[in-house]
Amino acid sequence: MKNILEAPFLVEMVRTCTNMYQHGWDERNGGNISWLLDEAEVAEYLDVNAVLRDIPTGFEAPALEEKYFLVTGTGKYFKNVQYDPAHNLGLIRLSEGGKTAQLLWGFTGGGKFTSEFPAHMMSHAARLSVDPENRIVMHCHPANLLAMTYVHDLDSRSFTRTLWQMCSECVVVFPEGVNVLPWMLCGTNEIGQATAEQMGTARLVVWSQHGIYGAGKDLDETFGLIETAEKAAEIYMKIAHLPLKNTITDEQLHLMEERFGVKAREGFLD
C-alpha cells in the first residue's frame, strides 16, 4: 500500500488549504473543502474495507451513496493542515443513503468533518446532476466579496453584472454568473438545500454577509473561480464611492462572448 501522505490528491489538498489561508480567505477555522475521489485512486493508498469509525451525517444524500470524499475537519485551522494533515483532514465514504460517513483515514483525536458538510454534499449532488465531472466544493470568506454584500443589491443578475463589468476576464471565467443568497444560519440543512438549488445554475454561490461557495472539476478551477470573483469585488469596493466615468458595456461583453466562445447567462445582458 502506498503512503497516503504522498498521494497527489492529499498533496494538492494541503497546498490549496495553505494557499487559501495565505490569501486571507480562511481565517481561524473559517472555510472548508470537499473533494470527490474515485475508489480506484483511494484504494492505492488505503484498504477501503477498513472502516475506522462511523460518523452520523444528519442528512440524506442517496445520489452520493458509496462515494469517497476528502474533506476538511470541523474546528480545524487551514494554517495547520500542512503540519498535520491527518488531524485536520479526513477521507470518508458515504453509506446508508448518505446518513453515515465511514471514516477511512484522518480526523485523528476524534475529529469529524466540517459543520458545513451537509451544504457540501447537497452541492456535490446538485453539481453532478449538471456536470458529471464536478469534483470540488469549496467554501471560504474572501473579504471583498463579503464587503460587497453589505453595499450592493443582492439580486443575482445585478451582482453578476457588476462583477462582469469590473474586469474583462470575468464573463469568460464564470459566464453563468454568480448566484446570491440572503443571510441564512450557517451549518444547517436549510442553507445546504438553498445552496444546492442555486448550484443548479451557477458554480459560484455567495452567502451574504458570510462568504462564497464554489464548485468545479478540480482544485485549480474552483480556486480560480473564487479568485477571479474576489478580484472583481476588490476593484468594485475601491471605486464604488467614486463617480464612474468608464465601464465595460454589454456590447463589449458580447464581443468577449464571441472572442472566447462562451455564452453569458440568458437574460443577464441587455
Side-chain angles (χ1 to χ4, degrees), residues 1 15 18 27 31 36 48 58 68 119 157 191 195 208 235-237 268:
M1 204 69 72
R15 286 175 177 168
T18 302
E27 73 291 338
L36 172 60
V48 297
Y68 295 78
R157 181 182 186 272
I191 196 170
T195 304
S208 297
I235 295 169
Y236 173 77
M237 293 305 298
F268 274 37

Side-chain angles (χ1 to χ4, degrees), residues 31-132:
N32 24 78
I33 307 173
S34 58
W35 186 347
L36 172 60
L37 301 171
D38 293 326
E39 180 175 340
E41 59 185 331
V42 174
E44 291 186 44
Y45 301 92
L46 295 173
D47 179 356
V48 297
N49 297 311
V51 177
L52 301 178
R53 54 187 165 95
D54 290 338
I55 308 173
T57 64
F59 65 94
E60 296 184 15
L64 302 179
E65 177 75 19
E66 297 298 312
K67 299 289 189 183
Y68 295 78
F69 293 92
L70 181 63
V71 60
T72 52
T74 185
K76 306 305 180 186
Y77 291 32
F78 270 33
K79 71 182 182 67
N80 294 331
V81 172
Q82 62 183 316
Y83 305 114
D84 191 354
H87 185 73
N88 296 283
L89 304 173
L91 202 159
I92 61 96
R93 177 177 58 219
L94 289 181
S95 65
E96 299 184 296
K99 292 186 288 187
T100 299
Q102 298 175 322
L103 180 63
L104 303 177
W105 174 86
F107 295 150
T108 57
K112 70 173 194 175
F113 42 72
T114 169
S115 63
E116 304 293 356
F117 193 64
H120 276 253
M121 295 302 103
M122 293 175 192
S123 291
H124 273 289
R127 288 304 308 167
L128 287 169
S129 70
V130 176
D131 179 5

